[in-house]
Amino acid sequence: MTFPVVGMVGGGQLARMTHEAGIPLGIRFKLLSDTPQDSAAQVVSDVVIGDYRDLETLRDFARGCDVITFDHEHVPTEHLRALEADGIPVRPGPDALVHAQDKGVMRARLTEIGVPCPRHRIVKDPADVAAFAAELAAAPGGGPAGGFPVVLKTVRGGYDGKGVWVVDDVTEAAEAFRAGVPVLAEEKVDFLRELAANVVRSPHGQAVAYPVVESRQVDGVCDTVIAPAPGLDEPLALAAEELALTIAKELDVVGHLAVELFQTRDGRILVNELAMRPHNSGHWSMDGAITSQFANHVRAVLDLPLGDPRPRAPWTVMVNVLGGDYPNMYSAYLHCMARDPRLKIHMYGKDVKPGRKVGHVNTYGDDLDDVLERARHAAGYLRGTITE
């Protein structure tokens, strides 16, 4: 029996965990990685070292693959179109993926299909930012006097708070234009909390939705995810799931789609960002759902029937493990595992550097306060900020 080969572009932890999900199914993976030390390159047997920005490298890599998918959104759109022209299935395809690559394209398309978003427009210089802020202030239900603060984002690239600025005046806005790339200006939303709706869609249109989660950020980086989002009214939760499923269908997404949302103080939900790959807000599903986001992404790109996304326990909490001044995390296993036999630790094989995501922990159970405390303690002990 011949099993398919999934070509994964990008060697980070998302590729590592997607490969792990394919192992029980006998799915073979081929990896295009920047270096042999990358997280996934340490565990995948068939690794090609090369630059994903080079078309001929991508074409050589794609030979022998039954489908191409990604652990990041940075492959040039025109290269993906060339692969499709060569007859290589690319999932998600370039027409979908561009909405996760280019925030300006994403905002325009979501607005066109009636998806609620923060007020926004492309700006060309600090004076244009000031004009946008004035428009916000003058609009019905506008904002603070003068329209500031305003959020500025580079339309391409940027993650974990990089390429994003919250500016209070024209002078501060100048920083966003120094790279010489297009900039998107958005209103600063007065939100209650951040949510994420994760869905998976296959080529023939089957789709599943995971419970909407709460995502808590620290310094622009995801710190904690609670599944399901506590205190979220069922009608709003269902609306968020339906919104994500609609976006997946309208954009023809194949694979996993994460829709990052703002829950506003006046009871609305607004789309913040899109990611068309497994996502940090879905890591809880590795231990907390019947079928993880990674397993369903593999199924989707191969057009296999999708698995059940329902949770296994009333509450699951994921906390990211960030690098600190304590590099020897393995020695902390003894304490963490003895203290909490139900704890699940997932490490990425990365060198420990301050602020770098090097792993995550998942806990689950019937009592949210207990589940939160267990996850936070384990992540803190692994990082070295908790010592007892």
Side-chain angles (χ1 to χ4, degrees), residues 79-313:
H79 291 1
L80 300 182
R81 297 194 195 284
L83 291 182
E84 285 194 326
D86 293 342
I88 305 297
V90 176
R91 295 173 178 163
D95 290 340
L97 194 61
V98 69
H99 298 93
Q101 295 174 322
D102 190 305
K103 295 178 179 65
V105 172
M106 179 262 291
R107 283 284 180 245
R109 179 63 176 144
L110 293 186
T111 300
E112 180 184 340
I113 62 176
V115 171
C117 298
R119 289 170 293 179
H120 60 275
R121 71 175 170 86
I122 301 294
V123 288
K124 61 181 183 295
D125 54 35
D128 208 11
V129 175
F132 173 71
E135 291 171 12
L136 292 179
F148 286 100
V150 167
V151 179
L152 301 179
K153 302 176 178 179
T154 55
V155 296
R156 285 184 175 256
Y159 63 95
D160 288 348
K162 299 177 177 66
V164 179
W165 298 264
V166 180
V167 300
D168 292 315
D169 54 40
V170 175
T171 302
E172 291 183 3
E175 175 68 24
F177 296 91
R178 285 180 184 149
V181 297
V183 173
L184 176 72
E186 296 182 346
E187 67 172 313
K188 187 175 185 298
V189 176
D190 183 21
F191 61 89
L192 179 66
R193 58 178 169 174
E194 295 186 58
L195 304 172
N198 290 282
V199 298
V200 184
R201 183 175 178 272
S202 67
H204 71 270
Q206 184 191 9
V208 297
Y210 288 87
V212 177
V213 301
E214 178 178 339
S215 177
R216 298 179 179 177
Q217 316 293 313
V218 176
D219 297 328
V221 178
C222 178
D223 178 81
T224 301
V225 172
I226 305 172
L232 184 63
D233 292 341
E234 184 176 0
L236 199 58
L238 290 173
E241 291 178 15
E242 291 173 0
L243 183 64
L245 289 168
T246 297
I247 293 170
K249 180 181 179 180
E250 290 290 335
L251 273 51
D252 197 22
V253 176
V254 172
H256 184 272
L257 169 69
V259 181
E260 299 179 47
L261 301 161
F262 294 127
Q263 181 183 359
T264 67
R265 297 187 187 278
D266 57 4
R268 296 174 296 142
I269 49 173
L270 301 175
V271 172
N272 180 24
E273 302 278 2
L274 301 180
M276 295 182 191
R277 50 171 171 75
H279 191 257
N280 205 167
S281 65
H283 289 358
W284 69 273
S285 66
M286 296 177 74
D287 304 297
I290 295 171
T291 311
S292 75
Q293 64 165 348
F294 299 103
N296 262 336
H297 184 75
V298 171
R299 293 189 188 199
V301 300
L302 293 172
D303 207 9
L304 294 169
L306 301 180
D308 193 333
R310 287 178 298 175
R312 295 177 181 270

Side-chain angles (χ1 to χ4, degrees), residues 313-315 342 364-368 370-371 374:
W315 299 104
R342 292 177 292 168
Y364 51 88
D366 299 331
D367 182 87
L368 178 56
D370 173 68
V371 175
R374 287 161 46 211

Side-chain angles (χ1 to χ4, degrees), residues 26-42:
I27 304 301
R28 297 165 56 199
F29 272 73
K30 184 178 179 181
L31 185 73
L32 180 60
S33 184
D34 290 340
T35 75
Q37 292 76 39
D38 285 348
S39 180
Q42 299 172 27

